[in-house]
Amino acid sequence: MMPFPGATIISQLLKNNVTKNGGNEQFPGSGGLSSGGSEVHQEDACSNSSRESPQECMSPFGRPPALSQFDMERLSDEHLRAKRARVENIIRGMSHSPSVTLRAGEGAEREREGAHQPPSPRESYRENKRKQKLPQQQQQSFQQLVSARKEQKHEERRQLKLQLEDMQKQLRQLQEKFYQIYDSTDSENDENDGNQSEDSLLSDGGGVRADRDRQTLDSNADNDRSDNEISDLDPGRFLDRARALLREQTMMEEGDKPKRDGPRGGGKGQGPPSMNTEGKQLAETLKQELNSAMSQVVDTVVKVFAKPPRPSVPQVFPPLQMPQDRFISVNGDNPNFHTANQRLQCFGDVIIPNPLDSFGGMQVPSINDQTEALPLVVRKNSADHQSSSLPSHGGHHHPSLHPSPLSATVGFSPPSFRHPFPLPLMGYPFQSPLGTPSGGYPGKDRSSPESLDLSRETTSLRTKMSSNHLNHHRSCSSPSHPGSASEGLSLSLIKSECGDLQDMSEISPYSGSTSFQIQEGLSPNHLKKAKLMFFYARYPSSNMLKMFFSDVKFNRCITSQLIKWFSNFREFYYIQMEKFARQAINDGVTGSEEMNVSRDCELYRALNMHYNKANDFEVPDRFLEVAQITLREFFNAIVAGKDVDPSWKKAIYKVICKLDSEVPEIFKSPNCLQELLHE
DNA sequence: TCATGGCCTG
DNA sequence: CAGGCCATGA
């Protein structure tokens, strides 16, 4: 509703009626409204009732434009005035009727003292509601009435209220008049009419919220005669009907008694032709329309008067849950862990736009069909040929070459990286291009480091993007040609590959620094390093881990986590072994010696994908041997039916754990990743 | 009792 | 990959 509904609504209501009536008819009760007072006898009662609670009329708003606006409207149409005068005469005549007076008085009485008769549940609820509102309204009003000017406005609003009350009374009287007409024509058969009109009075006197649908329902419930069609008819048409009805009534009273039969005299069957049904319908519909209009007006005014003094309703503005709470709870006692950016990304359910989104429409390389023909495990005699036939040694993969169904999922990168470690992970020398290797690694000859970061990350990206597809065809044999790949890729792509690493670099105050620092947690790079170490050692001891992760401040938790990592690595490793061994058996392999593990076979690819996803590390040959041994162990055990024993794998584990080789010294360097991956 | 590994599950 | 649970061995 608008800020000035009290007045605006009324005029609007009347305007609508004028419009509906084609500008020729006027709302019957508007005469009383326009006069600024009431021409009816109940004026005193109405005034008293409204003055008794002046605070109810107060409003913080300015002077309602109702009167002037209204008068303008009235004066603008002389014709309407004439018509209105006619109706007012009727009303005046009605007001002398005892029954009308009584009922109108009851209406006023109700406002003053409450209902003498048991009110309908709806009305009693509404009245209680009103009474509950009063104290707050008074309180708020006194706070606002600090100046005489406001007092004046207050008075004006009260006047408006009075007018509304007058209008209400007149409408009631009009209603009553029609009920009377109806009663006079159909008195003996309609015992419900009294209650009906009473209900209408009760409901309209309170100004319940104007709900047309509800009123229609109520009307239908109260009265079976009510026709759904009727309640939807245009009020203007009913005003016409009302006048016709009145004319008819007058003529009937003056002249002879008309016949009660009529072509449409069905239903209750008593009454003048077209009077019985039409009168009922008219009464019904007019009642509803009046109720609706009155309820709307009164309710709106009351609502407007009541609303401003109560600025804060708790239910309207529930306290916002501050995201900081969640942040604190998430990060516990280490609020310095995240930068502001990081904090944003920590709001688990909040999607933060990040550079990774730039992949949205990106396309990934398609899967090479040739991979489907790759042997599960490379048979002894054919291994070399298979290997040499692969076209993509150091292959160039151009991401935009082939659109693929994968593009949809690949492009949807996770919006945030969840740090698995509760403690700060600062200072780990990840592969930042700004970092410089400090460890003197007497390594093999490497390719020149220029643009190696870019190419390496690009290769990694390529791998990562296709990581969902095990059969993705790519170079398996030689990670020593990484520099040739696609310098054209944008930096954002490269950054996306770093993904979690990038997050780490963003939050680390030591970002770009080569200085080492003992860390209190394991970083993603530590994980990567551990995976590479797995190529040498499947069962590293805790002491060995401490040696190779010297940049980590070891405690029980860190050790357990590292051990757990290797345990998980082994789990995956053995699962793959068993899977491929069973598959080989299903494929008809009869002897374990038929199986070789080469860099071209699927088993190796699966393993490499897991431990060396970026394929930027040259897997030692020894690992292939161990893998082959493991595979054959599984094969033999399964063929021998040992897998019926629930602990049949333990024997294999015993064998495999002895096959660990020494981890190269370079892994002891905290910068080993940079150095290793530069090869 | 602790450390470790395996298994299962989310 | 991590957590929980259990079994095992020192």
Side-chain angles (χ1 to χ4, degrees), chain A residues 271-288:
Chain A
S274 78
M275 188 69 176
N276 190 18
T277 42
E278 202 172 40
K280 286 178 186 176
Q281 290 177 354
L282 175 63
E284 279 299 310
T285 311
L286 186 61
K287 193 171 59 178
Q288 291 164 11

Side-chain angles (χ1 to χ4, degrees), chain A residues 453-573:
Chain A
D453 280 317
L454 180 67
S455 59
R456 183 188 71 243
E457 300 294 359
T458 303
T459 306
S460 302
L461 170 64
R462 192 180 62 229
T463 307
K464 194 167 195 168
M465 289 168 59
S466 56
S467 63
N468 285 337
H469 207 294
L470 287 177
N471 291 327
H472 172 55
H473 178 73
R474 54 196 306 267
S475 169
C476 299
S477 59
S478 178
S480 58
H481 318 292
S484 53
S486 65
E487 286 90 352
L489 286 182
S490 69
L491 184 62
S492 62
L493 305 188
I494 296 164
K495 285 177 74 178
S496 85
E497 197 284 328
C498 296
D500 38 8
L501 302 181
Q502 182 190 358
D503 280 4
M504 296 305 299
S505 69
E506 279 176 355
I507 68 168
S508 172
Y510 307 101
S511 183
S513 163
T514 57
S515 62
F516 302 146
Q517 174 164 328
I518 301 298
Q519 302 179 38
E520 307 205 359
L522 293 168
S523 71
N525 272 341
H526 287 126
L527 177 61
K528 189 171 186 178
K529 177 179 173 179
K531 285 181 174 180
L532 296 184
M533 285 177 63
F534 183 78
F535 285 128
Y536 300 91
R538 268 64 59 187
Y539 291 87
S541 66
S542 57
N543 284 334
M544 181 181 167
L545 292 175
K546 285 172 186 169
M547 284 166 50
F548 282 89
F549 292 89
S550 56
D551 59 332
V552 178
K553 188 179 179 180
F554 266 76
N555 54 36
R556 196 178 299 171
C557 180
I558 296 295
T559 308
S560 297
Q561 188 180 4
L562 269 173
I563 290 174
K564 185 69 178 179
W565 280 359
F566 277 88
S567 176
N568 288 329
F569 298 160
R570 284 192 299 270
E571 191 173 18
F572 178 82
Y573 175 83

